[in-house]
Amino acid sequence: MLSKKTQYALRALSFLAARFDQGPVLIHEIAEQKKIPIKFLENILLELKNADVLDSKKGRGGGYFLKTAPDQTSLAKVMRIVEGPIALLPCVSLYFYQKCADCTEEVCSINGVFIQVRDATLKILESKTLEDIQELRLEAIDFSI
Amino acid sequence: MLSKKTQYALRALSFLAARFDQGPVLIHEIAEQKKIPIKFLENILLELKNADVLDSKKGRGGGYFLKTAPDQTSLAKVMRIVEGPIALLPCVSLYFYQKCADCTEEVCSINGVFIQVRDATLKILESKTLEDIQELRLEAIDFSI
DNA sequence: TTATTAGTCTACAAATTTTGTAGTGTTATT
DNA sequence: AATAACACTACAAAATTTGTAGACTAATAA
């Protein structure tokens, strides 16, 4: 399961994606709208900024905003930043590889399946972007058509 | 990432699968061969027994063994027993469903992707069984052919 | 240039989960 | 009976996650 931190990050990004190109959004506003503890959210947004997903502006009129268009950031990238590895086993991770502690088998009989799971998962998460999880804003839809 | 507990469970089952139909195996032997803390392993095996994956025999000549043939137990089943949910979000889990805490969206824009990830993962884990992760025993292969 | 606004950064604390241990009980075999 | 081996409960240590505090820096506007 994804940690709360990652869930918070996805919600915040979903919100910011819907406001792309509309100027900076206050941390305060995101926290309130998405019911995320504000100080926790501060840390998360900062981490995403340091990883080049977000950008920010200080002072009056400041806030956070997507650094690039929503379709330019994959969900895989976001998850690696806030959650860490996507693979289910360390010995099968592409970005966070670690030799299995105490692996006693000469040829691992377990990792094959988890390579398949990893690839199936990545196929989706690498192709889906913030655009795909963008908050739907009903007030932005013209029902008069 | 899978917890150590789940990794231990998979290793133990991989070992027991290779010994299916050869009588009970001592906890002690599994622990030693697979380098798993024995008391921790006891708890794991017991849990798998209570979930009908394993069976056991007490007293001299006793031990643990698979309750059914290796190809009868899917990895999804094992993971649900020892790890819990396979889905990445509670609101998308089939067996451990929970309403997302503080979900503020009328229509969730996030869960769609994670339903796809869940289905792709399950397609693999439901079809793969203990037979597929069975330990390869080199000494059991006849190289003279 | 000073007051105010809003993000930055470090450190810590509380809560929860994971990992591992101890010890006693129960059942089967010899 | 004695012994072997799993069963079960409870607890403890360690690690991780979640959340908070507070001082600092940069940008804006009066």
Side-chain angles (χ1 to χ4, degrees), chain B residues 71-120:
Chain B
D71 68 352
Q72 293 304 298
T73 302
S74 74
L75 299 185
K77 176 170 187 180
V78 172
M79 285 185 51
R80 288 188 180 112
I81 293 165
V82 293
E83 180 82 15
I86 290 169
L88 294 178
L89 292 177
C91 66
V92 141
S93 173
L94 296 174
Y95 286 72
F96 299 84
Y97 173 83
Q98 276 187 289
K99 196 160 171 286
C100 280
D102 296 322
C103 181
T104 57
E105 288 187 75
E106 299 170 57
V107 178
C108 183
S109 62
I110 294 175
N111 65 17
V113 174
F114 290 95
I115 287 173
Q116 286 185 44
V117 171
R118 178 202 68 193
D119 289 342

Side-chain angles (χ1 to χ4, degrees), chain A residues 27 49 56 58-59 63-64:
Chain A
I27 295 179
K49 180 193 167 171
S56 68
K58 286 184 177 180
Y64 273 99

Side-chain angles (χ1 to χ4, degrees), chain B residues 26-97:
Chain B
L26 294 181
I27 296 179
H28 176 80
E29 188 183 353
I30 305 172
E32 193 162 280
Q33 290 293 322
K34 291 301 184 178
K35 294 194 182 158
I36 303 171
I38 190 165
K39 283 302 236 173
F40 198 10
L41 181 59
E42 267 185 24
N43 296 332
I44 295 169
L45 296 179
L46 187 56
E47 204 171 348
L48 287 167
K49 181 194 166 172
N50 290 333
D52 280 331
V53 168
L54 296 179
D55 204 350
S56 67
K57 210 185 149 191
K58 287 184 177 178
R60 191 181 198 92
Y64 274 99
F65 48 93
L66 296 192
K67 189 162 185 174
T68 57
D71 68 352
Q72 293 304 298
T73 302
S74 74
L75 299 185
K77 176 170 187 180
V78 172
M79 285 185 51
R80 288 188 180 112
I81 293 165
V82 293
E83 180 82 15
I86 290 169
L88 294 178
L89 292 177
C91 66
V92 141
S93 173
L94 296 174
Y95 286 72
F96 299 84
Y97 173 83

